[in-house]
């Protein structure tokens, strides 16, 4: 029994060591070494989605989108409820302008975790790219509800309101932005534009 316990501890320590090495390499920008470490982990624990997912993140960071999608898919095969894999697939499809697929992957993420604003944000921007503005608007509202400290949904929802001439609504939205986000350059720029247009001051916009 003691031998089994010791074996489990060695295995856990080895896993932690490999993962730490990979994460340090990734943080320093040494993506080749990070990939090698994650591949080593995969060879030792082939049934864990951890390794495929993180290799997908490395490939994603390097904009190797096809490779990254394949690795995320491998992680999903091992864990069909891998929220972050679906979320990142949605991001990649947006980058590739495969907006219908971006919507589909974001919806899969939402079915797994319907209370994370990041998935609603991904859903919104893919809808907006498809010119499905009403659906994008609803998605951004949900993103803000569940992730009030994520600045992008405020910016894009504000632009939708402004694009429809609803400057007062855009200003009301911006008044709800958490204080720590209000100095974001896009927030400041759009706020100035909304104020100018709401006053009919086109030259200042």
């Amino acid at each position: 029994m003691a031998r089994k316990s010791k074996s489990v501890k060695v295995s856990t320590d080895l896993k932690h060591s490999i993962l730490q090495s990979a994460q340090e390499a990734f943080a320093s920008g040494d993506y080749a070494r990070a990939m090698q470490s994650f591949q080593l982990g995969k060879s030792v624990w082939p049934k864990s989605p951890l390794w495929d997912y993180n290799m997908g993140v490395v490939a994603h960071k390097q904009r190797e989108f096809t490779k990254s999608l394949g690795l995320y898919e491998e992680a999903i095969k091992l864990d069909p409820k891998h929220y972050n894999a679906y979320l990142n697939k949605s991001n990649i499809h947006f980058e590739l302008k495969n907006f219908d697929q971006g919507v589909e992957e974001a919806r899969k993420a939402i079915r797994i975790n319907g209370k994370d604003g990041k998935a609603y944000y991904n859903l919104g921007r893919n809808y907006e790219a498809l010119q499905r503005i009403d659906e994008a608007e609803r998605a951004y509202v949900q993103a803000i509800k569940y992730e009030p400290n994520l600045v992008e949904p405020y910016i894009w929802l504000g632009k939708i309101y402004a694009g429809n001439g609803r400057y007062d609504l855009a200003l009301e939205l911006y008044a709800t932005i958490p204080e720590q986000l209000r100095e974001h350059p896009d927030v400041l720029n759009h706020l100035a534009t909304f104020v100018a247009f709401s006053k009919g001051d086109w030259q200042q916009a």
Side-chain angles (χ1 to χ4, degrees), residues 59-129:
H60 193 166
K61 182 70 173 179
Q62 295 178 291
R63 301 186 68 81
E64 296 178 3
F65 292 140
T66 301
K67 180 178 180 179
S68 184
L69 285 171
L71 288 162
Y72 289 145
E73 195 57 43
E74 289 301 311
I76 289 168
K77 287 178 184 177
L78 294 167
D79 177 7
K81 293 186 177 182
H82 200 304
Y83 173 81
N84 285 327
Y86 286 116
L87 188 70
N88 289 356
K89 285 180 71 180
S90 176
N91 276 325
I92 289 177
H93 285 304
F94 180 82
E95 293 285 344
L96 294 174
K97 303 188 187 305
N98 298 330
F99 304 123
D100 284 313
Q101 289 172 276
V103 165
E104 182 180 345
E105 298 299 337
R107 285 197 166 281
K108 289 176 182 176
I110 289 167
R111 283 197 288 271
I112 295 167
N113 181 2
K115 294 185 177 181
D116 190 321
K118 297 181 187 71
Y120 287 103
Y121 169 63
N122 280 6
L123 182 64
R125 64 182 189 156
N126 277 286
Y127 271 143
E128 189 169 2

Side-chain angles (χ1 to χ4, degrees), residues 31-44:
Y31 302 127
R33 184 162 66 88
M35 187 66 83
Q36 288 173 353
S37 294
F38 287 130
Q39 286 171 338
L40 174 60
K42 174 71 174 178
S43 71
V44 180

Side-chain angles (χ1 to χ4, degrees), residues 124-150:
R125 64 182 189 156
N126 277 286
Y127 271 143
E128 189 169 2
L130 290 167
Q131 296 299 306
R132 294 165 63 173
I133 303 302
D134 289 346
E135 290 161 295
E137 181 178 329
R138 288 194 291 271
Y140 290 143
V141 168
Q142 291 295 98
I144 291 167
K145 175 182 176 181
Y146 292 118
E147 196 79 29
N149 291 316
L150 188 65

